[in-house]
Amino acid sequence: MASNNPLTLDAKTLQNTNSQCSGSESEATQGSFSVGYRYDFTTNGTDVTFTFELLDKDKSGVVAYLWSQSPFSETQMTSMSGNKFYQNRKWFYKRTNH
């Protein structure tokens, strides 16, 4: 670019809108993603719905599992359409008084 033809660009960075309840991610604990996934956790009383959508267009025939760490268990998630999956769970927590 010639110094007598300056180019002005206006740029705006996007705010990170991820939260503990929804957002997108590209980090994997196993394997890797070419793009990543979207996640959403919603509650209704004591029910929690976990929704995930794989954004990688280079993957097909995907089966999704919801993992519980302790004690370890995994449950196959229900396919909604394409690479979008959900699972409903009852959510119980133990309330302690301090």
Side-chain angles (χ1 to χ4, degrees), residues 12-79:
K12 181 178 179 181
T13 58
L14 299 176
Q15 178 181 357
N16 182 350
T17 59
N18 286 355
S19 72
Q20 291 179 340
C21 295
S22 65
S24 60
E25 184 60 65
S26 60
E27 188 175 326
T29 57
Q30 295 180 358
S32 63
F33 296 108
S34 55
V35 177
Y37 60 93
R38 284 191 194 110
Y39 62 90
D40 185 55
F41 309 127
T42 56
T43 59
N44 182 11
T46 58
D47 293 342
V48 179
T49 301
F50 301 87
T51 307
F52 292 90
E53 180 180 9
L54 180 64
L55 302 174
D56 296 2
K57 299 299 181 200
D58 59 336
K59 296 177 176 73
S60 61
V62 174
V63 178
Y65 290 88
L66 184 64
W67 287 8
S68 180
Q69 284 186 302
S70 183
F72 178 79
S73 67
E74 62 183 17
T75 304
Q76 185 171 338
M77 298 180 77
T78 302
S79 176

